[in-house]
């Protein structure tokens, strides 16, 4: 009797264990099926959204076609493979660029007396020509708007070069810039919306840099368009923009395509007013393959001798000086000489040694 009950209990326990195992197996199977289903649905959703977005882009490009005929688009129709290294999606970039060409707007603050330090540059020649042409071109641009509520960016039209022309000290320049920006902040709501992140201003030569570096909120937040910048003057790569400095007008016509006539390996003439220039002159001034001159070539030497030296050189060395700006890079390109920042490419000399 006792043995029978024991056998019956053992059978019941086995049945319970079997049912538990089958339940666990069922749950495990259900979980796997659920995971597979969700994975399939997720991929299917992504696949569908990709094609729907592609079709919407195609549709938008078709719908925008009439407008593009009226707008000058600067983007050439490249194949994806040609520029795949530049853009993740060239077609999407092209559409975005076309959209920018149509709708991008800049508001220029109208405040400030043009006869003092605002609105217009001092002149369009010499080493400040880049700043002057920047002012002029932005005013003639189709991107300018008179409605600040439509603007994507805001231009602060202050010309530090004008202050230099009136003999104002750097300390007073900083005060003038600070007061002007503060007046814009109090009069308009646009600076305070982004703390100036969508505002920009232009400075060329050391004048603008020294006049604005005493206004930390301007340097930190706004976009600074600066000629030939360097990290020594607080250039912030993720927001600031480098503007090439150009001396206008060029003294001589453009050069190039005449490498056989360029007998000098490298050329530089200038003052030893920086560490790199001192080292450059000391190491290279006696090198017969290079044309290295301490101090700029005097006009008494001959007419346009400095500019003519570019024509005969393959490489034109552009080492940083005591100021943040330099027009040598633009000069080198104009005269057909390859610019280099303080060094020339490695090349074997007559003894077989290399120069870096």
């Amino acid at each position: 009797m006792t043995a029978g009950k024991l056998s019956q209990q053992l059978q019941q326990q086995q049945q319970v264990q079997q049912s538990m195992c089958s339940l666990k197996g069922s749950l495990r199977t259900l979980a796997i099926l659920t995971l597979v289903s969700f994975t399939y649905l997720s991929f299917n959703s992504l696949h569908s959204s990709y094609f729907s977005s592609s079709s919407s882009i195609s549709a938008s490009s078709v719908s925008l076609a009439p407008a593009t005929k009226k707008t000058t688009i600067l983007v050439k129709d490249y194949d994806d493979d040609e520029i795949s290294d530049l853009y993740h999606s060239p077609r999407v970039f092209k559409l975005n660029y076309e959209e920018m060409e149509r709708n991008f707007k800049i508001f220029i603050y109208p405040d400030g007396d043009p006869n003092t330090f605002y609105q217009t540059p001092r002149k369009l020649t010499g080493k400040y020509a880049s700043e002057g042409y920047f002012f002029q071109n932005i005013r003639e641009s189709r991107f300018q708007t008179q409605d600040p509520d439509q603007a994507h960016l805001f231009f602060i039209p202050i010309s530090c070069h004008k202050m230099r022309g009136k003999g104002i000290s750097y300390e007073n320049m900083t005060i003038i810039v600070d007061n002007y920006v503060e007046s814009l902040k109090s009069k308009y709501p646009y600076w305070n919306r982004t703390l100036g992140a969508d505002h920009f201003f232009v400075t060329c030569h050391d004048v603008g840099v020294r006049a604005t570096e005493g206004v930390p909120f301007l340097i930190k937040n706004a976009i600074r368009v600066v000629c030939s910048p360097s990290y020594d003057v607080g250039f912030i790569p993720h927001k600031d923009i480098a503007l090439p400095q150009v001396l206008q007008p060029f003294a001589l016509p453009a050069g190039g395509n005449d490498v056989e006539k360029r007998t000098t390996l490298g050329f530089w003439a200038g003052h030893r007013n920086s560490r790199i220039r001192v080292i450059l002159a000391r190491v290279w001034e006696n090198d017969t393959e290079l044309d290295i001159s301490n101090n700029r070539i005097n006009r008494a030497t001959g007419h346009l001798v400095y500019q003519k030296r570019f024509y005969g050189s393959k490489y034109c060395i552009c080492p940083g000086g005591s100021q943040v700006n330099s027009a040598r890079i633009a000069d080198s390109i104009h005269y057909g000489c390859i610019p280099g920042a303080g060094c020339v490419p490695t090349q074997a000399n007559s003894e077989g040694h290399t120069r870096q």
Side-chain angles (χ1 to χ4, degrees):
M1 188 72 178
T2 304
K5 289 183 178 179
L6 181 60
S7 175
Q8 186 177 4
Q9 289 177 353
L10 289 173
Q11 290 177 355
Q12 291 176 350
Q13 288 178 357
Q14 289 176 354
Q15 291 176 355
V16 170
Q17 290 177 352
Q18 290 176 356
S19 62
M20 290 291 292
C21 290
S22 62
L23 179 61
K24 290 180 179 179
S26 300
L27 292 173
R28 187 181 296 110
T29 303
L30 180 62
I32 293 172
L33 290 174
T34 303
L35 178 61
V36 171
S37 300
F38 274 114
T39 303
Y40 171 76
L41 291 173
S42 298
F43 277 112
N44 190 43
S45 175
L46 289 172
H47 189 69
S48 301
S49 63
Y50 171 78
F51 280 104
S52 63
S53 63
S54 299
S55 61
S56 64
I57 290 175
S58 300
S60 64
S61 63
V62 172
S63 63
L64 291 175
T68 57
K69 292 180 181 179
K70 300 177 182 179
T71 307
T72 301
I73 303 301
L74 303 180
V75 179
K76 181 182 176 182
D77 288 329
Y78 292 100
D79 293 333
D80 284 7
D81 294 338
E82 291 184 51
I83 54 176
S84 59
D85 293 339
L86 299 177
Y87 310 107
H88 294 295
S89 178
R91 286 192 176 89
V92 173
F93 170 80
K94 182 175 183 293
L95 289 174
N96 290 338
Y97 193 92
E98 291 173 351
E99 179 73 11
M100 183 275 293
E101 285 276 314
R102 285 188 298 272
N103 298 324
F104 181 67
K105 297 299 178 184
I106 296 172
F107 177 73
I108 302 175
Y109 283 108
D111 302 67
D113 182 2
N115 294 320
T116 54
F117 321 117
Y118 313 98
Q119 303 303 331
T120 57
R122 184 180 172 191
K123 58 182 180 178
L124 296 176
T125 58
K127 57 188 177 184
Y128 297 98
S130 297
E131 181 177 319
Y133 279 106
F134 190 94
F135 271 77
Q136 175 176 293
N137 292 339
I138 201 171
R139 291 193 177 283
E140 297 174 354
S141 170
R142 67 178 182 277
F143 298 125
Q144 183 185 1
T145 179
Q146 302 299 324
D147 183 0
D149 292 326
Q150 293 183 353
H152 301 89
L153 291 177
F154 297 82
F155 180 51
I156 302 174
I158 188 165
S159 177
C160 299
H161 181 211
K162 275 190 173 182
M163 301 181 197
R164 177 69 172 268
K166 293 183 179 294
I168 299 175
S169 66
Y170 288 116
E171 291 76 13
N172 287 332
M173 288 184 190
T174 299
I175 295 174
I176 293 171
V177 173
D178 191 12
N179 290 341
Y180 182 71
V181 178
E182 287 292 343
S183 69
L184 300 180
K185 291 167 60 178
S186 60
K187 183 176 179 179
Y188 301 92
Y190 307 109
W191 176 282
N192 296 322
R193 294 187 310 185
T194 62
L195 295 179
D198 54 0
H199 286 57
F200 68 101
F201 63 101
V202 60
T203 61
C204 263
H205 207 257
D206 59 309
V207 178
V209 172
R210 293 185 62 178
T212 56
E213 64 185 358
V215 189
F217 68 87
L218 181 66
I219 299 299
K220 178 182 177 181
N221 298 338
I223 301 167
R224 183 170 56 158
V225 183
V226 58
C227 287
S228 305
S230 69
Y231 295 104
D232 296 336
V233 294
F235 184 77
I236 304 175
H238 74 266
K239 71 175 186 66
D240 293 341
I241 299 173
L243 177 68
Q245 187 179 25
V246 180
L247 293 177
Q248 290 287 353
F250 288 107
L252 294 172
N257 298 323
D258 55 352
V259 66
E260 66 282 352
K261 297 179 181 180
R262 297 176 180 267
T263 56
T264 302
L265 178 61
F267 164 65
W268 172 73
H271 300 294
R272 300 188 188 187
N273 53 6
S274 68
R275 183 172 180 271
I276 184 63
R277 291 187 177 190
V278 171
I279 296 174
L280 182 152
R282 184 174 66 244
V283 175
W284 285 347
E285 62 184 349
N286 295 320
D287 194 313
T288 56
E289 291 186 286
L290 301 175
D291 183 359
I292 305 297
S293 299
N294 182 25
N295 294 322
R296 289 291 288 265
I297 300 172
N298 196 297
R299 293 179 181 178
T301 308
H303 184 60
L304 300 177
V305 173
Y306 173 75
Q307 289 79 4
K308 291 176 181 177
R309 295 277 187 91
F310 285 92
Y311 283 132
S313 304
K314 298 175 182 177
Y315 299 95
C316 292
I317 307 163
C318 310
S322 59
Q323 310 298 343
V324 300
N325 67 300
S326 174
R328 280 185 174 84
I329 295 177
D331 288 341
S332 300
I333 295 172
H334 174 76
Y335 294 119
C337 187
I338 301 174
C343 65
V344 291
T346 302
Q347 176 169 325
N349 60 18
S350 57
E351 286 83 21
H353 302 294
T354 60
R355 178 187 295 106
Q356 185 71 32

Short mmCIF file of all heavy atoms in Angstrom, two decimals, residues 17-27:
data_model
loop_
_atom_site.label_atom_id
_atom_site.label_comp_id
_atom_site.label_asym_id
_atom_site.label_seq_id
_atom_site.Cartn_x
_atom_site.Cartn_y
_atom_site.Cartn_z
N GLN A 17 7.14 17.59 -13.87
CA GLN A 17 8.41 18.03 -14.45
C GLN A 17 8.34 18.09 -15.97
O GLN A 17 8.85 19.02 -16.61
CB GLN A 17 9.54 17.08 -14.03
CG GLN A 17 9.91 17.20 -12.54
CD GLN A 17 10.97 16.20 -12.14
OE1 GLN A 17 11.34 15.33 -12.92
NE2 GLN A 17 11.44 16.30 -10.89
N GLN A 18 7.68 17.08 -16.58
CA GLN A 18 7.53 17.08 -18.03
C GLN A 18 6.71 18.28 -18.50
O GLN A 18 7.03 18.92 -19.50
CB GLN A 18 6.87 15.78 -18.48
CG GLN A 18 7.77 14.56 -18.33
CD GLN A 18 7.06 13.28 -18.71
OE1 GLN A 18 5.86 13.28 -19.02
NE2 GLN A 18 7.80 12.14 -18.67
N SER A 19 5.64 18.56 -17.76
CA SER A 19 4.82 19.72 -18.14
C SER A 19 5.58 21.02 -17.98
O SER A 19 5.46 21.94 -18.80
CB SER A 19 3.53 19.74 -17.30
OG SER A 19 3.84 19.89 -15.93
N MET A 20 6.41 21.10 -16.92
CA MET A 20 7.23 22.30 -16.71
C MET A 20 8.24 22.47 -17.84
O MET A 20 8.44 23.58 -18.37
CB MET A 20 7.96 22.23 -15.37
CG MET A 20 7.05 22.36 -14.16
SD MET A 20 6.35 24.02 -14.01
CE MET A 20 7.82 24.91 -13.60
N CYS A 21 8.87 21.37 -18.22
CA CYS A 21 9.84 21.44 -19.32
C CYS A 21 9.17 21.85 -20.62
O CYS A 21 9.69 22.67 -21.38
CB CYS A 21 10.54 20.09 -19.50
SG CYS A 21 11.65 19.66 -18.14
N SER A 22 8.01 21.28 -20.86
CA SER A 22 7.30 21.66 -22.08
C SER A 22 6.87 23.11 -22.03
O SER A 22 6.87 23.82 -23.04
CB SER A 22 6.08 20.74 -22.28
OG SER A 22 5.16 20.90 -21.20
N LEU A 23 6.49 23.60 -20.83
CA LEU A 23 6.11 25.00 -20.70
C LEU A 23 7.30 25.93 -20.95
O LEU A 23 7.20 26.93 -21.67
CB LEU A 23 5.53 25.25 -19.29
CG LEU A 23 5.11 26.69 -18.98
CD1 LEU A 23 4.01 27.12 -19.94
CD2 LEU A 23 4.64 26.80 -17.53
N LYS A 24 8.47 25.56 -20.36
CA LYS A 24 9.67 26.35 -20.58
C LYS A 24 10.05 26.35 -22.07
O LYS A 24 10.44 27.36 -22.64
CB LYS A 24 10.84 25.81 -19.75
CG LYS A 24 10.69 26.04 -18.26
CD LYS A 24 11.89 25.48 -17.52
CE LYS A 24 11.75 25.72 -16.01
NZ LYS A 24 12.90 25.15 -15.26
N GLY A 25 9.95 25.19 -22.68
CA GLY A 25 10.28 25.11 -24.09
C GLY A 25 9.35 25.96 -24.94
O GLY A 25 9.77 26.62 -25.89
N SER A 26 8.07 25.93 -24.57
CA SER A 26 7.10 26.73 -25.31
C SER A 26 7.39 28.22 -25.17
O SER A 26 7.33 28.99 -26.14
CB SER A 26 5.68 26.41 -24.83
OG SER A 26 5.38 25.05 -25.03
N LEU A 27 7.68 28.63 -23.92
CA LEU A 27 8.01 30.04 -23.70
C LEU A 27 9.27 30.46 -24.45
O LEU A 27 9.34 31.56 -25.01
CB LEU A 27 8.17 30.30 -22.20
CG LEU A 27 6.88 30.19 -21.35
CD1 LEU A 27 7.21 30.31 -19.87
CD2 LEU A 27 5.89 31.28 -21.76
#
